[in-house]
């Protein structure tokens, strides 16, 4: 028994799964804690404004004479009378205690939603997959705009989502689930549309119970709060006009869109009715069709998109349904499948100023209304793949073969996770945009630690003097005294840092797709490691070290005592010097040039990183030890890439082994267990793989003729 237990502990696969699970849950916890801390650290006048509307003079919540009577600040309650009736007991709670409890409860609701969603995602059939997916879904939900808006405002919108999901996802919802749906509609009346959805999907009893519960809760609020109920349902027409201006950007509904473009009055109302009828006409049948196809989560998400579009007001924190359409499938190849989820995540996570750079009015209007346009397109137009389609199971991709290793845990990634085919270009561009946004956010979020950074700078100076490598000052003054040299280095520093890596990535993508994947992994790991270095070891560059006469040739003289310098540090972290990503990226570029360039041009692979190192020191932006740190993070990137894939990143022409994808075949499609044939394939000296193929069909190599990296290898019996 002891030996068996030890073997289980040493099982590499179990260990990797456990480490991945712990890492994902730690990531989810860190993101959740950070969002909660951001809300609770706000000043009292900006924290949970919806709850703050009831704040009394002594820090105790109180309920005014009417829910919808504006207080001295003009703030009113934006929920239904039933929601006010439910929250009335909270008026006796202290505001600080309630704020913490409310924020924690909201995060718990998000976690519960993630658990329910993970069980309903079509591709997550095993318990192991759901365990890994749940913390990832929590992370994505917490950073999305709907959840961040809910956390900031203290709204109830996430609770109705949790209450409605069980009835919409279960094949035969019970009485409890249908009653919960009715309570959700009583809290958010637009969700009454889901009762129609349940009826059309064959869940008539659940729809009837949900409608009866909604009517009962609303009647209870009428009896106990008649004045407020009349104000909400009659005077404001189901809450329209409460909780903020309807033309605000946070109102992502057709009504809000038309108000923002300048329409008003009877014409605007007529257009809202006409467009809402069109969305209902096209959207609801599509949602029902996908639900009957076995994609319950997609059907619920499309019904939620319809609700968001036709509701008079759909505030930012009520748009969580749009995020669920990320589970839909688009594309016939594995390389295309992630484009749609990434696009949905970007639209529902980043604001319009982040998504687009263009200042044209038309482009800005589209970006400002991105969630609404995404909801309408998803509900009415985007052709999602059905389970009966031949495209449900994507075409197989060529897989890489790992080099032989004496360690069993190399490679760490499973065989099917080491593709060699060319990835989707749109997906790559979206991922670059997301990655750069995360990079900029983390770099700018490093706390201002000027004193600590200067102390670290002195440590670097002392270390370099001890090693007799303190050459930065002499080089900097030499450059500053020669005008053309200074101008050239400034241009080099500001221009080549992004242009050269992007150019090399483009060349690799077009000519060496397998090498592109490996090189991209190395660069990503190096950059992420650099962000960790910025956070853990803030370091003042030479140009910002007081008491030393370094000359900032790029930015000009910086007065550290000028109050504007503090504003500059909030825009960009001035103390992100260790490691030098300028040097790290240039070293990566040089190594890639040495690997792919013709012999006559390989000298650029040595010249470019050397030139970058001289430039960053000559312009007083980095120490020579920063360059060492940059080389270290790139080395770590190459090491991680090898540990994951088991092959060198310099293998620009690796052997491609096509592997059939049988994980998720639709009904009547794919490869049955009885028909599958496992064929050992010789892939080179000392290397082998197993290819599983159907006995009834031949592999589709129609797209292999144009791409040498996709050509199947010859097989020996």
């Amino acid at each position: 028994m002891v030996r068996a237990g030890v073997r289980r502990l040493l099982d590499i696969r179990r260990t990797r799964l456990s480490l991945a699970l712990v890492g994902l849950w730690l990531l989810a916890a860190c993101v959740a804690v950070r969002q909660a801390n951001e809300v609770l650290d706000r000043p009292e006048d900006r924290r949970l404004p919806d709850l703050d509307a009831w704040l009394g003079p002594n820090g105790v919540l109180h309920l005014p004479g009417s829910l919808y009577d504006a207080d001295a600040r003009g703030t009113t309650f934006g929920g239904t009378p039933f929601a006010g009736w439910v929250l009335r007991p909270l008026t006796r709670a202290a505001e600080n205690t309630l704020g913490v409890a409310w924020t924690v409860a909201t995060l718990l609701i998000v976690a519960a939603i993630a658990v329910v969603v993970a069980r309903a995602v079509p591709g997550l059939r095993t318990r192991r997959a759901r365990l890994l997916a749940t913390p990832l879904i929590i992370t994505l939900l917490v950073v999305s705009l709907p959840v961040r808006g809910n956390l900031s405002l203290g709204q109830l919108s996430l609770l109705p989502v949790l209450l409605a999901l069980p009835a919409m996802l279960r094949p035969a919802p019970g009485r409890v689930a249908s009653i919960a749906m009715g309570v959700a509609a009583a809290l958010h009346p637009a969700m009454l549309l889901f009762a129609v959805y349940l009826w059309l999907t064959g869940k008539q009893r659940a729809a009837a119970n949900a409608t009866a519960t909604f009517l009962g809760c609303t009647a209870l609020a009428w009896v106990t709060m008649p004045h407020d109920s009349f104000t909400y349902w009659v005077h404001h027409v189901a809450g329209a006009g409460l909780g903020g201006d309807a033309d605000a950007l946070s109102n992502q509904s057709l009504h809000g869109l038309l108000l923002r473009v300048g329409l008003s009055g009877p014409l605007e109302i007529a257009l809202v009715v006409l467009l809402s009828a069109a969305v209902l006409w096209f959207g609801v049948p599509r949602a029902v069709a996908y639900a009957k196809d076995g994609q319950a989560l997609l059907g619920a998400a499309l019904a939620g998109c319809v609700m968001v579009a036709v509701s008079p007001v759909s505030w930012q924190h009520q748009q969580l349904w749009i995020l669920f359409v990320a589970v839909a499938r688009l594309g016939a190849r594995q390389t295309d499948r992630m484009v749609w989820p990434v696009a949905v995540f970007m639209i529902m996570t980043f604001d319009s100023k982040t998504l687009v750079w263009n200042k044209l009015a038309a482009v800005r209007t589209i970006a400002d209304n991105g969630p609404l346009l995404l909801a309408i397109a998803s509900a009415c137009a985007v052709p999602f793949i059905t389970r009966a389609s031949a495209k449900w199971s994507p075409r197989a991709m060529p897989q890489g073969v790992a080099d032989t290793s004496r360690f069993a845990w190399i490679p760490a990634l499973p065989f099917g996770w080491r593709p060699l085919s060319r990835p989707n270009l749109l997906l790559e561009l979206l991922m670059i945009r997301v990655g750069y946004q995360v990079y900029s956010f983390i770099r700018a979020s490093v706390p201002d630690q000027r004193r600590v950074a200067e102390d670290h700078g002195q440590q670097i100076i002392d270390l370099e003097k001890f090693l007799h490598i303190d050459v930065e000052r002499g080089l900097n003054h030499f450059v500053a005294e020669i005008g053309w040299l200074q101008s050239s280095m400034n241009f080099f520093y500001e221009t080549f840092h992004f242009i050269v890596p992007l150019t090399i990535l483009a060349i690799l993508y077009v000519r060496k797709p397998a090498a592109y994947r490996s090189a991209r992994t190395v660069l990503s790991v190096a950059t992420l490691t650099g962000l960790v270095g910025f956070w853990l070891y803030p370091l003042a560059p030479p140009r910002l070290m007081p008491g030393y006469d370094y000359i900032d040739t790029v930015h000009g003289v910086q007065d550290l005592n000028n109050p504007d310098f503090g504003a500059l540090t909030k825009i960009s972290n001035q103390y992100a010097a260790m490691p030098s990503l300028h040097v790290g990226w240039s070293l990566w570029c040089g190594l890639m040039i040495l690997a792919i360039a013709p012999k006559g041009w390989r000298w650029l692979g040595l010249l470019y990183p050397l030139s970058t190192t001289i430039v960053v020191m000559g312009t007083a932006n980095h120490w020579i030890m920063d360059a060492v740190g940059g080389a270290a993070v790139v080395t770590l990137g190459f090491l991680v890439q090898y540990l994951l894939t088991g092959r060198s990143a310099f293998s620009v022409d690796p052997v491609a082994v096509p592997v059939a994808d049988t994980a998720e075949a639709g009904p009547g499609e794919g490869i049955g267990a009885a028909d599958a044939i496992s064929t050992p394939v010789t892939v080179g000296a000392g290397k082998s793989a197993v290819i599983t193929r159907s006995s009834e069909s031949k592999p589709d190599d129609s797209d292999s003729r144009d791409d040498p990296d996709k050509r199947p290898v010859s097989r020996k019996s």
Side-chain angles (χ1 to χ4, degrees):
M1 290 177 61
V2 173
R3 286 196 297 268
V6 172
R7 282 196 297 268
R8 287 176 61 88
L9 290 176
L10 296 179
D11 189 334
I12 298 300
R13 294 184 60 188
R14 291 180 180 273
T15 303
R16 287 188 295 190
L17 175 63
S18 301
L19 291 177
L21 190 60
V22 170
L24 289 175
W25 276 108
L26 285 177
L27 175 63
C30 291
V31 171
V33 169
R34 187 196 179 281
Q35 293 295 340
N37 185 67
E38 182 181 354
V39 172
L40 297 177
D41 278 351
R42 292 182 176 181
E44 292 185 359
D45 58 342
R46 296 180 54 201
R47 180 173 52 193
L48 304 176
D50 278 21
L51 292 180
D52 193 52
W54 298 350
L55 184 60
N58 298 319
V60 178
L61 293 174
H62 76 286
L63 190 64
S66 172
L67 288 172
Y68 309 110
D69 289 341
D71 59 8
R73 294 164 295 181
T75 306
T76 59
F77 182 64
T80 64
F82 178 73
W85 182 81
V86 171
L87 293 175
R88 183 182 291 272
L90 300 179
T91 59
R92 299 179 180 179
E95 191 271 341
N96 289 332
T97 303
L98 180 61
V100 175
W102 192 275
T103 303
V104 173
T106 302
L107 292 174
L108 292 177
I109 291 174
V110 172
I113 292 174
V115 172
V116 175
V117 169
R119 295 179 62 87
V121 175
L124 305 179
R125 296 183 176 181
T126 64
R127 179 176 176 271
R128 176 184 302 176
R130 290 194 294 268
L131 283 176
L132 292 173
T134 300
L136 182 60
I137 295 175
I138 293 175
T139 303
L140 297 179
L141 290 180
V142 170
V143 301
S144 66
L145 289 175
V147 174
R148 281 154 47 196
N150 191 281
L151 285 170
S152 301
L153 298 176
Q155 279 282 353
L156 278 173
S157 61
L158 296 186
L159 180 59
V161 174
L162 178 60
L163 294 175
L165 277 175
M168 302 181 72
L169 299 181
R170 293 178 182 176
R175 180 175 299 178
V176 175
S178 57
I179 290 176
M181 168 72 78
V183 174
L187 295 173
H188 187 20
M191 285 191 175
L192 198 60
L193 174 68
F194 292 156
V196 179
Y197 170 81
L198 291 177
W199 186 278
L200 295 177
T201 54
K203 305 174 184 177
Q204 287 83 2
R205 177 173 296 181
N209 290 338
T211 304
T213 304
F214 165 77
L215 295 175
C217 294
T218 304
L220 176 63
W222 270 97
V223 172
T224 57
M225 308 169 69
H227 176 70
D228 288 331
S229 297
F230 179 85
T231 302
Y232 182 87
W233 292 106
V234 179
H235 182 68
H236 285 284
V237 190
L242 293 173
D245 297 330
D247 61 347
L249 282 178
S250 54
N251 177 21
Q252 291 290 314
S253 67
L254 288 170
H255 178 51
L257 172 62
L258 295 179
L259 290 178
R260 285 191 291 273
V261 298
L263 298 177
S264 61
L267 176 60
E268 189 269 336
I269 296 176
L271 282 176
V272 167
V273 173
L274 180 62
L275 294 176
S276 298
V279 173
L280 288 168
W281 179 265
F282 289 102
V284 174
R286 275 169 50 90
V288 173
Y290 284 110
K292 291 183 177 180
D293 185 57
Q295 303 183 64
L297 182 58
L298 176 58
L302 296 182
C305 290
V306 173
M307 178 201 69
V308 169
V310 304
S311 179
V313 288
S314 297
W315 301 118
Q316 188 181 71
H317 47 280
Q318 297 169 346
Q319 300 159 18
L320 195 63
W321 296 100
I322 305 177
L323 196 61
F324 294 156
V325 298
V327 302
R329 294 193 177 188
L330 282 176
R333 300 184 305 164
Q334 289 185 9
T335 52
D336 302 332
R337 282 292 163 88
M338 287 302 296
V339 176
W340 176 254
V342 173
V344 172
F345 174 75
M346 288 184 62
I347 294 174
M348 298 306 300
T349 303
F350 303 127
D351 55 27
S352 58
K353 295 180 180 179
T354 303
L355 288 176
V356 297
W357 297 283
N358 203 317
K359 296 183 179 180
L360 295 177
V363 177
R364 181 63 63 190
T365 300
I366 294 175
D368 288 342
N369 297 279
L372 171 62
L373 299 178
L374 173 63
I376 296 175
S378 301
C380 302
V382 180
F384 301 119
I385 298 174
T386 61
R387 298 177 67 89
S389 171
K391 298 179 181 179
W392 179 262
S393 296
R395 190 183 306 168
M397 291 189 300
Q399 306 293 341
V401 179
D403 295 330
T404 56
S405 172
R406 58 191 294 260
F407 300 105
W409 46 275
I410 298 176
L413 289 179
F415 185 81
W417 288 17
R418 304 195 296 275
L420 300 179
S421 61
R422 181 176 290 109
N424 184 281
L425 179 59
L426 179 58
L427 176 61
E428 293 300 298
L429 295 177
L430 292 175
M431 293 300 296
I432 289 174
R433 181 65 184 132
V434 172
Y436 180 73
Q437 181 62 26
V438 173
Y439 165 79
S440 301
F441 174 78
I442 295 178
R443 176 167 174 160
S445 298
V446 177
D448 183 9
Q449 303 182 39
R450 173 181 169 183
R451 180 69 61 181
V452 177
E454 291 174 355
D455 292 341
H456 289 165
Q458 188 60 50
Q459 293 176 2
I460 295 296
I461 293 175
D462 295 339
L463 176 61
E464 291 187 357
K465 288 182 177 180
F466 175 77
L467 298 175
H468 301 288
I469 56 174
D470 52 329
V471 299
E472 296 89 354
R473 182 183 178 280
L475 178 61
N476 175 237
H477 281 259
F478 175 78
V479 171
E481 292 174 357
I482 303 176
W484 66 268
L485 183 59
Q486 175 181 334
S487 301
S488 301
M489 285 196 172
N490 292 346
F491 178 80
F492 188 104
Y493 179 83
E494 293 181 318
T495 305
F496 293 160
H497 180 49
F498 290 103
I499 291 180
V500 175
L502 290 177
T503 301
I504 292 177
L505 285 174
I507 294 174
L508 290 173
Y509 180 86
V510 173
R511 305 195 58 170
K512 303 291 182 181
Y516 168 83
R517 289 182 178 272
S518 299
R520 178 194 57 185
T521 301
V522 174
L523 190 62
S524 301
V525 173
T527 304
L528 291 176
T529 309
L531 292 177
V532 175
F534 299 158
W535 195 286
L536 297 180
Y537 195 78
L539 175 63
R543 60 187 176 85
L544 295 182
M545 280 298 294
Y548 296 87
D549 56 346
Y550 285 98
I551 302 173
D552 189 346
T553 63
V554 178
H555 307 91
V557 179
Q558 297 290 337
D559 184 4
L560 302 184
N561 296 321
N562 190 332
D564 291 339
F565 180 76
L568 177 64
T569 59
K570 293 180 181 179
I571 298 175
S572 176
N573 180 19
Q574 301 295 302
Y575 300 118
M578 173 64 77
S580 170
L581 289 185
H582 272 79
V583 175
W585 288 10
S586 67
L587 178 60
W588 174 88
C589 293
L591 294 175
M592 289 297 104
I593 292 173
L594 289 174
I596 67 174
K599 291 184 178 180
W601 294 94
R602 291 181 183 177
W603 56 272
L604 290 175
L606 300 175
L607 179 62
Y608 180 61
L610 179 61
S611 301
T612 302
T613 304
I614 296 175
V615 165
V616 297
M617 292 191 298
T619 56
N621 280 282
H622 284 287
W623 311 96
I624 192 172
M625 295 305 299
D626 300 341
V628 175
V633 297
V634 171
T635 303
L636 178 63
F638 280 101
L639 177 61
V640 170
Q641 189 277 333
Y642 175 74
L643 295 180
L644 291 177
T645 63
R647 56 184 177 83
S648 171
F650 300 107
S651 302
V652 296
D653 291 309
V655 179
V657 179
V659 179
D661 185 0
T662 63
E664 296 174 10
E669 298 180 33
I671 301 175
D675 299 328
I677 300 177
S678 297
T679 306
V681 179
T682 301
V683 191
K687 301 179 182 179
S688 63
V690 176
I691 297 180
T692 303
R693 298 212 180 277
S694 173
S695 60
E696 298 180 357
S697 60
K698 296 181 179 180
D700 184 5
D701 295 324
S702 58
D703 65 338
S704 301
R705 293 184 295 271
D706 299 330
D707 191 344
D709 290 307
K710 292 185 178 180
R711 294 173 184 169
V713 299
S714 59
R715 297 188 294 273
K716 298 180 181 180
S717 59

